[in-house]
Amino acid sequence: MIDFEIPQELEEIRARVAAFVREEVVPAERSVNEATFDAVIAELRDKARAAKLWTPHLPPEWGGMGLDALGMALVSEELGASSLASLALNVMAPDEGNMHLLLEAGTPGQLDRYLKPLAAGDVRSCFAMTERDVASSDPAQLRTRAVRDGGEWVIEGEKWFVSGAAGASFAIVVALTDPEQEKARRRYSLFIVDAENPGWEVVREIPVMGSHGPGGHCEVRLQGCRVGGDAMLGRSGEGFVLSQRRLGMGRIGHAMRWIGVSQRALDMAAARAVERHAFGRRLAEHQAIQWMLADSAIELHAARLMVLHSAWKIDRGLDHRQEISMIKVFVAEALGRIVDRALQVHGALGISEETPLARYYQDARAARIYDGPSEVHRMVVARGAVRSFLEHGTTRDATGGTG
């Protein structure tokens, strides 16, 4: 049976989150600037706790709502309407992914020391994987190395574009531990590094176009960074596998937030088309504008169904790697087109800072790069299609087909 009905309990949560974003978060956007940011976020977080919407991705024993992948997909779409919303509910990147990693691989001591304050919103964290001097879309090239020294590890290397590093309490670092391992993706491990470690240095925040969250996007140097044996997260050689699991759920969240941005952009475009007149008619009555709205509505519908189907597969323990790569490509690129059309409908107003569209436009461009560029995910999708054909004589299994 194919059932497109959202479970009642999830629909109620989605509606509550949507109301919170609409009534509390979006109005707060007007009062946010560099001086007021921390106070605004703190107030929104107090309201989120009071509304029982705190950390929806964590299980109840960690103060969360215990939502599965489908529930988080629905919530993330609503959070996408404002860049403040994920921060308000303590479900923003990179902390969300790090919480999932700690839950999956953390020891009791690591959970108490790192997950507990992260879940409470008392600290921030970062994830240090990307490196400037190698194509990090191929993680088998990463050069940062961890060498065992007695009961400790010494980490040496440089990381690049580490989101949230400035002011983070700790980092999860991907480092080469077994260079002789035959399987390249078994050569890497994860380490938790405290920010006060003298071998951890945040060199600078990298200037980027568009908006960014607390802590910026940073260049980091690890030099003689000595950590204890208990700093390894998961087992030796699991760094790549654990990172991909983290990124898989992260890509679902990103995609649904992009859908939330796209929905808000399309709503704004529709409102502008209805209110604005040109050449004796409303913009909405001109075919050129109608086609823009139609194309955006079609892409938004397809994107939403693709992501919800991927979340459905995750919750049932089905292989979802092909679908994750598909949504990373399709939704990221649809976001750019939908925002671009909305900006065009607004004309000169669209490139001003009087609406969020100019910021959306800049942010949308980065979506095709982080968490794997479109080209790499297309490569994954193509390989899956060929593999399916060789095994079954059809690509159906690699295209979301059923039966």
Side-chain angles (χ1 to χ4, degrees):
M1 182 181 71
I2 297 177
D3 185 1
F4 291 100
E5 184 176 358
I6 297 174
Q8 182 61 32
E9 65 274 16
L10 294 184
E11 173 56 27
E12 291 175 356
I13 292 171
R14 185 207 62 76
R16 286 170 52 208
V17 172
F20 182 81
V21 173
R22 181 177 62 252
E23 297 166 10
E24 302 290 351
V25 179
V26 172
E29 292 175 344
R30 295 189 292 269
S31 58
V32 170
N33 55 46
E34 189 172 344
T36 64
F37 183 86
D38 289 343
V40 170
I41 294 301
E43 183 178 358
L44 287 174
R45 288 187 158 193
D46 287 342
K47 291 179 177 179
R49 291 187 183 95
K52 298 189 181 344
L53 296 175
W54 185 251
T55 54
H57 57 297
L58 288 181
E61 59 266 31
W62 288 97
M65 300 172 67
L67 296 186
D68 57 13
L70 178 59
M72 280 308 303
L74 296 168
V75 165
S76 295
E77 177 180 352
E78 302 300 337
L79 298 180
S82 172
S83 60
L84 303 179
S86 294
L87 287 163
L89 272 62
N90 196 28
V91 67
M92 66 289 183
D95 290 334
E96 177 192 7
N98 287 348
M99 290 185 221
H100 284 302
L101 259 183
L102 287 163
L103 272 176
E104 178 170 355
T107 64
Q110 290 170 339
L111 294 177
D112 185 67
R113 181 173 178 179
Y114 298 106
L115 180 58
K116 187 175 181 180
L118 199 59
D122 295 334
V123 301
R124 290 192 294 101
S125 64
C126 60
F127 185 76
M129 181 175 185
T130 301
E131 296 178 6
R132 178 173 58 181
D133 295 330
V134 299
S136 297
S137 55
D138 177 8
Q141 298 186 84
L142 296 176
R143 297 174 180 172
T144 296
R145 178 173 294 199
V147 177
R148 191 183 291 276
D149 183 17
E152 297 182 318
W153 292 87
V154 180
I155 308 173
E156 301 277 352
E158 295 184 356
K159 294 294 183 179
W160 172 258
F161 235 77
V162 183
S163 297
S169 176
F170 67 92
I172 297 177
V173 178
V174 182
L176 179 68
T177 51
D178 190 357
E180 303 305 319
Q181 167 62 241
E182 182 178 354
K183 295 182 179 179
R185 295 186 178 188
R186 295 287 299 174
R187 297 171 184 169
Y188 297 87
S189 304
L190 300 181
F191 294 89
I192 304 176
V193 177
D194 292 308
E196 63 264 25
N197 189 310
W200 168 269
E201 178 191 2
V202 177
V203 178
R204 63 178 179 126
E205 289 190 38
I206 303 165
V208 298
M209 71 177 189
S211 57
H212 59 269
H217 305 291
C218 299
E219 181 179 353
V220 172
R221 183 178 297 119
L222 295 103
Q223 192 168 15
C225 184
R226 188 174 291 270
V227 297
D230 60 352
M232 182 177 286
L233 181 60
R235 293 191 293 270
S236 181
E238 289 187 337
F240 181 81
V241 172
L242 291 172
S243 296
Q244 288 305 303
R245 290 178 188 168
R246 176 189 185 277
L247 291 171
M249 280 302 298
R251 287 163 184 152
I252 284 277
H254 279 315
M256 288 306 286
R257 283 189 289 270
W258 296 335
I259 289 170
V261 173
S262 298
Q263 184 68 68
R264 187 173 177 187
L266 180 54
D267 289 346
M268 292 175 64
R272 182 71 169 177
V274 169
E275 297 165 358
R276 191 76 162 177
H277 287 73
F279 303 102
R281 291 186 292 175
R282 294 185 305 177
L283 292 182
E285 297 175 56
H286 291 278
Q287 188 180 71
I289 303 300
Q290 291 173 348
W291 285 10
M292 289 184 192
L293 299 178
D295 287 345
S296 293
I298 291 166
E299 291 182 329
L300 189 51
H301 176 60
R304 184 177 282 115
L305 289 179
M306 288 175 71
V307 180
L308 292 177
H309 178 236
S310 298
W312 178 87
K313 293 192 76 171
I314 290 173
D315 287 339
R316 280 153 184 77
L318 301 174
D319 187 5
H320 53 271
R321 290 171 294 179
Q322 183 83 344
E323 287 78 8
I324 292 294
S325 285
M326 284 180 168
I327 65 173
K328 177 58 175 67
V329 173
F330 184 83
V331 183
E333 296 184 359
L335 167 68
R337 292 188 294 267
I338 292 169
V339 170
D340 182 80
R341 295 184 194 112
L343 191 151
Q344 189 74 10
V345 171
H346 280 73
L349 180 62
I351 61 173
S352 75
E353 294 186 357
E354 297 296 311
T355 78
L357 290 173
R359 174 169 51 83
Y360 289 168
Y361 188 82
Q362 293 185 73
D363 292 345
R365 185 59 187 84
R368 289 158 50 194
I369 297 175
Y370 59 76
D371 277 4
S374 293
E375 293 75 16
V376 170
H377 286 289
R378 279 190 166 90
M379 179 177 66
V380 172
V381 172
R383 287 175 176 172
V386 171
R387 183 170 55 249
S388 177
F389 182 81
L390 291 174
E391 293 177 358
H392 308 293
T394 175
T395 61
R396 184 180 183 86
D397 289 345
T399 58
T402 58

